[in-house]
Amino acid sequence: MKIFAETERLILRELVPEDAAGMFEMDGDPEVHLFLGNKPVQSIEQSKADIEFIRKQYIENGIGRWAVIEKSTGNFVGWAGLKLIKELTNNHNNYYDLGYRFSKRFWGKGYATEAAIAVRDYGFNELKLNEIIGIADISNLGSIHVLKKIGLKQISTFGYHGIQHYWMKIEKQA
């Protein structure tokens, strides 16, 4: 399995079917889904299907979300990575969205920032992107803080699935 990035405490690698239990723990938690439409997954089969969907993105788009693994324990922490968004969102399409999601037991450890920095750097250094987008529910203060901390700036506010979100962006430094 391919490792895309490593940080001091984390390994960011391709998602594999064996990650289904960790995905189900994360995505089955209503608190994790508070700012994601409040639709936690109901079965491990859904998590397996989500992994297959992401693995297809690797093939079709050359990128997708990655498993985040804690180096010290080998635990599945969650996922982070870039996703090519082809659908029209806030009058934009074909942009790279930086995202992350973690199981609640790993919150508050700085893993989101650590993983997001690695993802941002991969996007600019390996994929040679000129800009990276972040989208966050305006009530999701934790996610907004992470995006700002790694350099994204609030550009606008827009409705996304009936909820106000920030459109955030960082551009490659010359």
Side-chain angles (χ1 to χ4, degrees), residues 18 28 36 38 85 118 129 137 153:
E18 292 76 20
L36 303 171
N38 290 313
I85 306 293
L129 301 178
D137 181 315
K153 307 276 188 254

Side-chain angles (χ1 to χ4, degrees), residues 24-143:
F24 182 62
E25 174 192 338
M26 176 183 69
D27 282 328
D29 186 333
E31 283 188 69
V32 171
H33 277 260
L34 182 62
F35 300 109
L36 303 171
N38 290 313
K39 296 177 185 168
V41 299
Q42 301 298 312
S43 70
I44 198 159
E45 285 73 28
Q46 281 180 272
S47 296
K48 289 176 182 176
D50 289 342
I51 290 169
E52 283 310 306
F53 179 74
I54 292 167
R55 291 184 62 78
K56 284 180 188 166
Q57 292 173 357
Y58 297 159
I59 296 163
E60 294 171 5
N61 304 325
I63 194 71
R65 310 299 195 193
W66 305 324
V68 177
I69 306 299
E70 192 175 46
K71 280 184 178 179
S72 64
T73 63
N75 286 329
F76 179 91
V77 173
W79 59 249
L82 294 166
K83 179 179 179 182
L84 176 62
I85 306 293
K86 296 177 181 178
E87 307 83 45
L88 192 64
T89 309
N90 193 30
N91 299 313
H92 296 84
N93 64 351
N94 295 315
Y95 62 88
Y96 289 87
D97 172 70
L98 190 156
Y100 38 82
R101 187 179 305 165
F102 298 100
S103 290
K104 188 170 53 182
R105 65 186 167 118
F106 297 104
W107 292 1
K109 298 177 182 276
Y111 287 165
T113 300
E114 191 172 327
I117 289 169
V119 170
R120 177 202 65 199
D121 292 351
Y122 185 91
F124 288 139
N125 299 330
E126 302 300 321
L127 298 179
K128 308 297 185 203
L129 301 178
N130 292 316
E131 68 178 26
I132 295 172
I133 301 300
I135 297 172
D137 181 315
I138 63 170
S139 299
N140 191 344
L141 302 180
S143 190

